[in-house]
Amino acid sequence: MENRPSWSSRYSFILAAIGSAVGLGNIWRFPYIMGQHGGAVFLITYLILITTICFIPLLAELAIGKITQKECIGAFETVNPKLKFFGLMNPITGVLVASFYFVVGGWIINYIYLGLTNFKIENHAQYFSTFTQNTLPTCILSLLFLIACMYFTLRGVKKGIECANKIMMPLFALILLGLIVFSLSLPNAQAGLEYMFKPDFSKINTQMFLCALGQALFTLSIGMGALLTYGSYIKEDKSIAKSAYTIIFFDTMFALMAGIMIFPAIFSFGLEPSSGAGLVFITLPYIFSQISFGNVIFALFFLLLFFAALTSGISILEVPVASLIERMKYSRAKACFVIFVIVAIISILATLSFGLLADILIFKKSIFDFLDFLTANILMPINALVLCLVASFGLKIKGEMFLENKIVAKLFDIGLRYVIPIVLFGVLIVGLI
Ligand code: PHE
């Protein structure tokens, strides 16, 4: 198709891909999922998965986009028209991910406001629970976050995203480092580090494995078409393998930094690591309340987290929007509007599942938790599995096309064809049973 967007340089593509990867998955989701699955054993499993197994579908997803130069549905259809359905699964997963991601985006806006207004809170856990049950403000904030992301999606891939990434990411890393130093100096910080790095092997179980895999895919944005779509905007670039390493490196660094910042504080303030989705929102204010000028840093931290979430949110929305533009021949504006309406409706349901709709349970989970579990632990692994099979058997993608080292290329081929599909399938089946 003519007039497809494309990146202005390799650098801008890498920045956007890192922007997509580094987001709420690293700072909000990673600590809370790790806290629910036993700390160090989860971390070890996650690190092994992210540095070995995840590299393969990550590279394959970028390669499918780059080779076919199409959005998800078209890319799969190029291989075989019968695969259209599997292509369609990507934008559908995207809409579902967006719907709970934007709820958390809304919470962040509220916390920026708290920092700026020097708001005093006695009990942060209590505050978080009361706030998330408050229908009107939370719904408005989720929509506000959606509108912010949609604004950039509407403007197209090049404008906006690149600039936001260049300045915000380094600044965010700097603040994180500062907070780590502070967190490590708190009394009993040692216990947090032990929780994170000293494995208790009795905590190993299949659920933990499934959740570590889900988290690794989620945080790298694999299995939802975001990297495929971004990859399809690459014109000339032979080194997508290097891009894949870079994405993994930065993403893992941000997750580790978030963990080292949060866990010592959790233990120091006597909080519960397994307390769920509110973990970061409850722990961080305790840290800031101990620091001089804490409020300024509080607001700045959440502002930067907002930008990190924004660049991920934009990439999530780009998937269904690109599909509507290329498949239905919608204008970008019309596609954005349609996706806005759908995501807004599901987001509001997810937002309300903390309050008004708290009694509605799907498989014993609230709407929010169900969307989170369904996408990260089921749909993304299934999409990643299909992706590997399509790349190896359909598009005949070979490691030697991207990897210089012959042995690594061969390992990549075996991984893509057999190992990863079998592991993904096994983890999915065992985890679900
Ligand atoms: N990787 C993003 C994060 O960690 C979330 C995301 C998932 C973005 C899937 C795009 C696709 O926050």
Side-chain angles (χ1 to χ4, degrees), residues 73-355:
I73 308 171
F76 281 63
E77 201 184 32
T78 311
V79 179
N80 185 331
K82 290 200 194 106
L83 293 173
K84 222 158 62 183
F85 168 76
F86 290 108
L88 180 65
M89 286 284 287
N90 287 280
I92 291 178
T93 309
V95 167
L96 296 177
V97 169
S99 303
F100 75 88
Y101 205 84
F102 290 77
V103 176
V104 186
W107 298 345
I108 292 177
I109 299 179
N110 178 63
Y111 277 76
I112 299 175
Y113 172 78
L114 290 187
L116 289 176
T117 51
N118 212 352
F119 198 80
K120 288 273 171 284
I121 300 165
E122 288 298 316
N123 182 334
H124 297 293
Q126 180 69 44
Y127 172 81
F128 178 78
S129 130
T130 316
F131 161 68
T132 49
Q133 286 172 32
N134 202 344
T135 306
L136 199 60
T138 47
C139 285
I140 292 176
L141 291 174
S142 302
L143 289 181
L144 216 62
F145 187 73
L146 172 58
I147 292 170
C149 291
M150 210 36 123
Y151 170 75
F152 288 104
T153 310
L154 187 64
R155 291 185 63 186
V157 285
K158 272 189 218 160
K159 296 179 209 138
I161 307 180
E162 298 181 16
C163 157
N165 280 323
K166 258 182 245 173
I167 308 162
M168 304 300 169
M169 284 292 167
L171 199 60
F172 192 37
L174 216 67
I175 288 223
L176 275 175
L177 283 176
L179 290 174
I180 285 175
V181 173
F182 181 79
S183 192
L184 289 177
S185 70
L186 289 168
N188 203 23
Q190 185 70 18
L193 288 182
E194 275 175 22
Y195 180 80
M196 222 179 134
F197 295 109
K198 210 164 149 198
D200 170 2
F201 291 105
S202 67
K203 299 251 168 72
I204 294 184
N205 59 48
T206 47
Q207 267 301 313
M208 185 276 291
F209 212 81
L210 181 67
C211 290
L213 175 73
Q215 172 59 21
L217 295 175
F218 184 87
T219 190
L220 291 175
S221 313
I222 302 172
M224 203 213 70
L227 294 173
L228 193 157
T229 311
Y230 274 13
S232 76
Y233 300 149
I234 305 175
K235 287 268 173 292
E236 273 309 312
D237 180 6
K238 295 195 183 60
S239 50
I240 56 172
K242 243 190 248 156
S243 310
Y245 295 131
T246 316
I247 296 168
I248 291 180
F249 174 78
F250 280 105
D251 191 78
T252 309
M253 282 302 130
F254 271 95
L256 283 175
M257 284 199 286
I260 302 175
M261 167 186 73
I262 290 288
F263 283 101
I266 292 175
F267 282 83
S268 183
F269 296 114
L271 304 169
E272 193 41 65
S274 61
S275 57
L279 187 66
V280 165
F281 291 92
I282 296 165
T283 314
L284 280 171
Y286 276 108
I287 304 184
F288 295 119
S289 66
Q290 307 272 316
I291 307 179
S292 37
F293 300 111
N295 267 74
V296 183
I297 306 175
F298 186 112
L300 190 61
F301 176 88
F302 279 105
L303 190 67
L304 292 169
L305 183 55
F306 172 82
F307 283 110
L310 192 76
T311 48
S312 303
I314 296 166
S315 76
I316 299 174
L317 292 175
E318 183 67 21
V319 179
V321 166
S323 290
L324 282 185
I325 293 175
E326 288 179 37
R327 305 293 301 184
M328 312 287 287
K329 306 281 174 272
Y330 281 11
S331 66
R332 186 163 270 273
K334 187 172 170 195
C336 284
F337 179 73
V338 172
I339 296 303
F340 175 85
V341 173
I342 300 174
V343 172
I345 293 172
I346 314 180
S347 269
I348 286 179
L349 293 177
T351 307
L352 295 181
S353 71
F354 286 87

